[in-house]
Amino acid sequence: MAPLIRFVEDNAPRLEVFTHQRSEQAITPRLFGKFTEHLGRNVYHGIWAQVLVNPGFEPAQAFLYGGRPPSETLPHHQAWWGVPDAVTRPLLRRLEESLREGVAYAWLRFGEGEARYTLDGDRVNSETSQCIEVRSLGTREVGIAQPIFLPLHRQKRFVLTVWAKGSAGNLLASIRSADERRVLAEGRAGRLTDRWRKYTLRLSVDASGMERGELLLFTLGVDAPGTVWLDQCFLFPADHLKGFDPDAVKACKQAKLPILRFPGGNFVSGYHWEDGVGPIDERPLRPNPAWHDVVEYNHVGTDEYMALCRAIGCEPLICVNAGNGTPEEAARWVEYCNGSPNTQQGRRRAENGHPEPYNVRYWEIGNELWGDWQIGHCTREEYAERYRRFVQAMKAVDPTIEVIACGQDARWNEPLIERCADILRSLSIHTLIAHSVPPNAPVEKVYRSIAAFPVWYEEHLAELGRQMARRVKPPRIAITELQIMTPNPVNNQTIAEAIYLSGVVNTSIRLGDLLELITHSALMNHGGGLRKHREFVWKNPVQLAHELLVNLAGHVPVGLAVASPVFSVPALHDLPAVQKAPYLDAVAAVNPNGTALSLVVTNRHPDSPLTAEVVLHDFTPRPAVATSTLAGNSPTAHNSFEQPEAVRTVKGDARAGKNGLRYTFPPLSLTLLTFRLSR
C-alpha cells in the first residue's frame, strides 16, 4: 500500500486525492481498539461502578504497601484531590484514629454510642469481617461510615448489598453530607439474625443544592445494643450496566470501540483467572501482583469483562499469564471461554450463568516478558520455548483461536521467528514512548519529538515485518500497548497524545495488512482515553481522536499525494532523531461503494495553521463538505474535572468546487473532511 501515499517537501501545502488508485484491503476496525488493566483506578473506581473502597473489610496491611501511612494511601484510593483541605483533613484524622481502634481500612467509626471494633475471622469471604460490639447508643445508630463520591449528575438511586449477622437490632444505612448535617438518603435493610444473610436496600438521594462531585458520607449501622458482623458491602448506582459505569460504556460506544484487550499489562503476569470467576461474594481478595498501590478484589473477572464487551459491542482480546502461569492454566481459560457446556470448564461457565460459549478469537501469550520488571521475565530463547508450549496446550482445546506472540524488537523476535515459524502468526509490540523525558524538559521540544516519532516508526515497523516475512507469511504485527509515558506536561492526557495516535494509525494504514490491530492504552484513568474523578467521566483529547479516526474503519484507502513543509528533531532521551517530518499527515479513503470520500488530515505544527489546496481526481463532490475538527491551543491542552470540554471536536461544513477546495487546518489538530459524490 505504501506507493498509494506519497509525501514531498513543499512550503505550499497541497493534498491531491486519486480515488481511482485503491488498496486491495479495507481499513480494519481493529486499528482503533483499547486496552484496560487492573492498575490504579482503571478498573475499580474507574470502569467498574461500585463506589466503596475495601468493601470486604480487609486489614490495612492489604492496602498500605511499602509501609506508607494511610495519610498517603487514602487520598489515592478515595480520589480526594481537588477537595478542599478543610473537608478532607478532619476526615483523614478520623480515618486514621478509626484504623487504630480496630476499624477496617478506609472506614471510620460512626455514631455517639459506646462500641468496640475488631476485625474478625468469622467472615463471608477473604480474611476478615468488621465486628462491632455495641454497648450503648447515643441519639442515633452506631456503626461505620466511609467518605464517598456519587454520580448524582445522572443517577439519584443506589443499591446497597451487604452481608451481615448479629443481635444488634436492625441494619440501617444512610447517605449524608460530609459534615453530617444533612441526611440525603436513609433506609432500613432488615433485622439482624444469628446467621450470615445478604441484605439489599435501595436508597434514593435528595441531591438538591449539591455541588458537582461533592464529597459525601455513607453510613451503615445498627439501632440496638448487641454485636454485628459486616462483610462484602457494595454500593452501586441503580443504572449500572452489568456492574459497569454507564458513562464509560456510552463513551466507548460513541468511539465505536472494536476490540478491548484485558486483563493486562504487567498485571496479567501474576494473575490467575480462576480467582475471578464464580459468585463475586466468594472471590478472594489478592495482592495486586504488579501494581502495589492497589489490591485485586477479583470483582471484575472473565464473565464481567465479557459483559462489558457485549455492552460496548466490541470484540475481546485476552492476554494470558505466561509469567508465573502455566500452559494448562491458559488452556483451561480457553475452554472456559470457548468450550461447550459439555466440557469441564464450559460446564463451570454455564454454572456461573453463561451457558453459551463466548467464542473469544484473539489470545495473546504473555506481556512484556522481555522486561526485567515483569513477573516471569525470561530470555528470548526461553520465551520461544514457552510460546510453543502455550500454543500447543491452548490450541488443543480450540484450534480456531488466533494467537499473538509476545514480541518487541528485532533481537527479541529473532529466536521466536526462527524456532516457531510453523506456529507463529502475529507478534505483539508495545510502543510506550518518552519514558525518560524529564518533567522540566522544554514543552515545545518534547512535543515536536513526539509528533515526529511516527515518521521514524513507520520504517521500524516495516523492518520488523521484513524480518518476520523471511520465515512467516503473511507477517502480522499487533500493537497491544501504545501511549506517551512521560511525566512532562506534554503527556498522554493532552492533545499531543491525539496527534501521536493519529500518526501511528496513519502509519499503520500505509503499511497495509502488516498491522492487524492496535489496542491503545488505556481505557480509563491510566494513560489516554477516559478520565473519572469524583464519579464524573470525561474524555481526554485522544478519546475524541478515536471517535474521529474510527470513521475510516471499513473504508478503502486511495491514492494521496501530500506536499507539506517539514521539520526535523534531534534525539531526545529515548526519542529518536527524525529528519524532515511533514507537518501535514493525511489518509484518504472511500466507502465500499465509492460514494463518500473521507480525508483525515493532521496538522502537527505547534502554533501555525496551514492552508492547503485539496484537489480531488476522479471524484466530483457535492458542494457541501462535512467537517469535524479536534484542536488544542497548545501542546499541553487537555480536559479536566473543572473544564471537561476545554478540548473538543467542533463540527461544521465547508464548500467544495468541482475539483476540491482550499482549507485551513488549525495547529495541533485532526480534521475529518467528508465529501459526498455528486450524482
Side-chain angles (χ1 to χ4, degrees):
M1 188 186 298
L4 278 178
I5 302 178
R6 306 182 299 278
F7 289 91
V8 296
E9 179 181 354
D10 197 322
N11 287 325
R14 184 178 175 88
L15 299 160
E16 288 194 74
V17 181
F18 304 91
T19 57
H20 67 284
Q21 300 174 12
R22 299 194 181 188
S23 169
E24 294 180 359
Q25 302 93 14
I27 297 169
T28 173
R30 296 187 185 94
L31 294 182
F32 309 100
K34 297 290 287 185
F35 157 53
T36 192
E37 177 177 9
H38 294 247
L39 186 166
R41 300 173 68 85
N42 193 344
V43 176
Y44 307 114
H45 309 288
I47 56 175
W48 191 238
Q50 199 282 125
V51 301
L52 297 174
V53 176
N54 191 13
F57 304 101
E58 303 302 337
Q61 290 83 347
F63 298 84
L64 303 179
Y65 284 101
R68 289 178 295 172
S71 59
E72 293 182 13
T73 56
L74 278 165
H76 168 74
H77 289 134
Q78 298 188 309
W80 282 357
W81 52 90
V83 179
D85 286 346
V87 176
T88 60
R89 192 180 298 114
L91 282 173
L92 185 59
R93 186 164 53 249
R94 284 179 62 189
L95 284 161
E96 291 185 319
E97 290 171 355
S98 297
L99 191 63
R100 290 193 293 270
E101 294 175 13
V103 179
Y105 175 86
W107 295 86
L108 52 83
R109 289 182 58 128
F110 176 75
E112 301 166 354
E114 182 183 356
R116 177 174 177 265
Y117 293 78
T118 56
L119 296 181
D120 198 317
D122 184 354
R123 81 282 189 201
V124 172
N125 192 13
S126 291
E127 293 186 37
T128 57
S129 66
Q130 180 70 68
C131 179
I132 310 170
E133 299 174 54
V134 181
R135 294 164 183 165
S136 66
L137 298 174
T139 59
R140 60 186 178 184
E141 67 268 27
V142 171
I144 55 172
Q146 185 174 132
I148 61 170
F149 299 100
L150 296 176
L152 295 173
H153 60 282
R154 67 161 202 272
Q155 180 57 246
K156 307 298 189 294
R157 295 178 297 113
F158 297 85
V159 180
L160 166 71
T161 59
V162 58
W163 285 83
K165 71 172 186 174
S167 59
N170 295 294
L171 188 63
L172 310 175
S174 74
I175 295 171
R176 304 168 184 249
S177 59
D179 61 11
E180 301 184 34
R181 293 176 183 174
R182 289 182 61 196
V183 178
L184 307 174
E186 61 183 342
R188 174 180 174 273
R191 188 161 189 84
L192 294 167
T193 68
D194 59 0
R195 296 189 177 210
W196 283 108
R197 172 187 158 195
K198 189 173 185 177
Y199 293 81
T200 299
L201 176 65
R202 295 183 180 275
L203 296 168
S204 183
V205 177
D206 175 9
S208 58
M210 290 184 57
E211 298 179 3
R212 181 169 68 95
E214 183 176 333
L215 186 65
L216 303 173
L217 195 69
F218 166 74
T219 75
L220 190 62
V222 293
D223 61 1
T227 303
V228 59
W229 286 262
L230 303 169
D231 206 353
Q232 296 297 96
C233 182
F234 298 154
L235 186 63
F236 279 95
D239 63 349
H240 71 85
L241 299 174
K242 300 293 186 180
F244 292 96
D245 187 314
D247 284 338
V249 172
K250 179 181 177 181
C252 292
K253 293 177 76 169
Q254 288 171 336
K256 300 175 185 175
L257 183 67
I259 190 166
L260 178 63
R261 179 178 181 249
F262 166 92
N266 293 357
F267 172 79
V268 78
S269 292
Y271 174 63
H272 300 287
W273 69 271
E274 286 160 305
D275 288 339
V277 296
I280 285 181
D281 291 329
E282 298 176 9
R283 298 181 194 174
L285 180 93
R286 301 288 191 208
N288 187 302
W291 306 109
H292 298 325
D293 60 344
V294 289
V295 297
E296 179 47 46
Y297 298 129
N298 280 306
H299 297 162
V300 178
T302 304
D303 296 311
E304 290 73 27
Y305 163 62
M306 294 300 171
L308 175 62
C309 289
R310 290 184 173 181
I312 293 170
C314 71
E315 188 172 7
L317 187 168
I318 291 180
C319 184
V320 304
N321 178 359
N324 66 8
T326 66
E328 293 75 21
E329 180 184 28
R332 291 196 301 274
W333 203 354
V334 173
E335 186 173 275
Y336 185 87
C337 291
N338 295 359
S340 79
N342 296 324
T343 63
Q344 181 178 358
Q345 296 301 326
R347 183 163 52 254
R348 185 181 189 182
R349 182 194 65 243
E351 290 169 353
N352 290 332
H354 308 280
E356 295 301 316
Y358 292 125
N359 296 320
V360 178
R361 177 182 177 188
Y362 286 99
W363 296 80
E364 186 177 358
I365 299 181
N367 179 82
E368 294 181 11
L369 290 162
W370 35 266
D372 59 9
W373 57 85
Q374 200 72 205
I375 298 169
H377 163 63
C378 61
T379 67
R380 56 186 189 147
E381 293 82 7
E382 288 172 325
Y383 178 73
E385 296 173 5
R386 194 178 300 183
Y387 172 77
R388 182 173 290 279
R389 293 196 302 273
F390 272 78
V391 170
Q392 289 172 341
M394 294 165 68
K395 279 189 167 281
V397 172
D398 183 353
T400 70
I401 62 174
E402 305 280 9
V403 177
I404 301 170
C406 174
Q408 188 59 3
D409 57 22
R411 183 178 182 280
W412 170 269
N413 296 346
E414 183 181 14
L416 189 58
I417 293 169
E418 293 302 315
R419 299 181 185 185
C420 299
D422 58 318
I423 55 170
L424 185 63
R425 60 166 297 279
S426 179
L427 286 169
S428 74
I429 64 171
H430 289 179
T431 307
L432 309 173
I433 66 169
H435 283 91
S436 61
V437 173
N440 60 354
V443 163
E444 184 169 327
K445 188 176 183 180
V446 174
Y447 166 73
R448 285 179 176 273
S449 291
I450 288 170
F453 178 87
V455 177
W456 171 88
Y457 193 51
E458 185 164 347
E459 176 54 30
H460 174 69
L461 290 172
E463 177 53 38
L464 292 180
R466 288 190 289 269
Q467 179 195 30
M468 192 177 183
R470 288 193 276 270
R471 295 291 306 277
V472 179
K473 292 182 175 58
R476 296 184 185 90
I477 292 174
I479 305 173
T480 56
E481 293 189 29
L482 176 74
Q483 66 170 312
I484 300 168
M485 291 292 286
T486 177
N488 190 271
V490 183
N491 57 50
N492 50 43
Q493 296 179 46
T494 69
I495 191 69
E497 181 79 15
I499 301 292
Y500 170 56
L501 174 69
S502 73
V504 173
V505 168
N506 290 354
T507 288
S508 300
I509 292 171
R510 286 191 284 270
L511 291 172
D513 58 1
L514 174 62
L515 270 293
E516 75 167 334
L517 60 86
I518 297 173
T519 51
H520 174 264
S521 309
L523 195 63
M524 178 173 278
N525 287 344
H526 163 53
L530 303 172
R531 293 284 291 173
K532 182 176 180 179
H533 181 46
R534 303 195 215 172
E535 293 298 309
F536 186 83
V537 175
W538 69 90
K539 299 173 183 177
N540 282 335
V542 73
Q543 183 75 16
L544 299 171
H546 268 277
E547 292 181 7
L548 188 149
L549 292 166
V550 78
N551 286 284
L552 295 170
H555 288 205
V556 179
V558 298
L560 178 63
V562 179
S564 170
V566 299
F567 66 105
S568 298
V569 297
L572 178 68
H573 301 280
D574 61 318
L575 295 170
V578 180
Q579 299 298 315
K580 296 186 175 181
Y583 278 117
L584 289 183
D585 187 19
V587 167
V590 293
N591 64 350
N593 61 16
T595 59
L597 167 66
S598 296
L599 178 63
V600 175
V601 181
T602 303
N603 181 3
R604 294 169 169 144
H605 204 293
D607 48 42
S608 292
L610 292 174
T611 301
E613 295 290 340
V614 178
V615 180
L616 308 182
H617 298 278
D618 308 305
F619 191 99
T620 302
R622 297 177 190 175
V625 179
T627 67
S628 295
T629 301
L630 173 67
N633 58 14
S634 77
T636 61
H638 64 282
N639 294 329
S640 64
F641 178 77
E642 295 76 18
Q643 293 183 294
E645 295 186 351
V647 180
R648 66 187 191 278
T649 302
V650 177
K651 296 185 181 295
D653 57 72
R655 302 295 291 178
K658 181 178 179 181
N659 297 316
L661 52 68
R662 183 175 174 83
Y663 196 86
T664 299
F665 299 96
L668 298 165
S669 70
L670 282 72
T671 301
L672 169 64
L673 302 178
T674 303
F675 301 89
R676 299 288 176 182
L677 186 66
S678 177
R679 295 295 185 184

